[in-house]
Amino acid sequence: SSTREKSQMAMKASGVPYERFDGYASGDQVEQKKPAPDIYLKAARDMDLPPARCIGIEDSVSGVASIKNAGMQAIAVTNSAPSRKP
């Protein structure tokens, strides 16, 4: 839900080429913020796909709720602690 500028900077810093995505939506392009589904529904519309054919990836509880509220499958990524093998 960041601004387009901020999210593109973060993606660039992490090596994710946002230009290669078919759909891309940022928080400044939608009216309601997460957990409303607006940002994910916009991305699905931009790709001309029904939400049920989309998968969202999120790192927050409200983000996962936003994906589910859009009718998509969710992948939750934790970033609060390094992963460890037992």
Side-chain angles (χ1 to χ4, degrees):
S1 59
S2 299
T3 65
R4 188 171 192 86
E5 180 182 14
K6 186 176 178 181
S7 62
Q8 286 178 352
M9 286 180 8
M11 291 172 82
K12 184 176 181 179
S14 65
V16 177
Y18 65 87
E19 303 91 351
R20 298 187 66 189
F21 285 82
D22 292 332
Y24 179 88
S26 56
D28 53 0
Q29 296 177 303
V30 295
E31 184 146 338
Q32 295 183 33
K33 305 293 184 200
K34 301 170 188 172
D38 299 27
I39 197 164
Y40 285 99
L41 293 174
K42 181 187 180 332
R45 279 192 307 273
D46 288 355
M47 293 184 293
D48 198 28
L49 288 171
R53 298 257 330 204
C54 299
I55 298 171
I57 303 170
E58 264 294 344
D59 65 349
S60 69
V61 173
S62 65
V64 171
S66 180
I67 294 168
K68 296 290 192 175
N69 290 337
M72 299 179 179
Q73 294 294 311
I75 295 175
V77 177
T78 177
N79 62 3
S80 60
S83 64
R84 294 186 214 156
K85 292 185 180 182

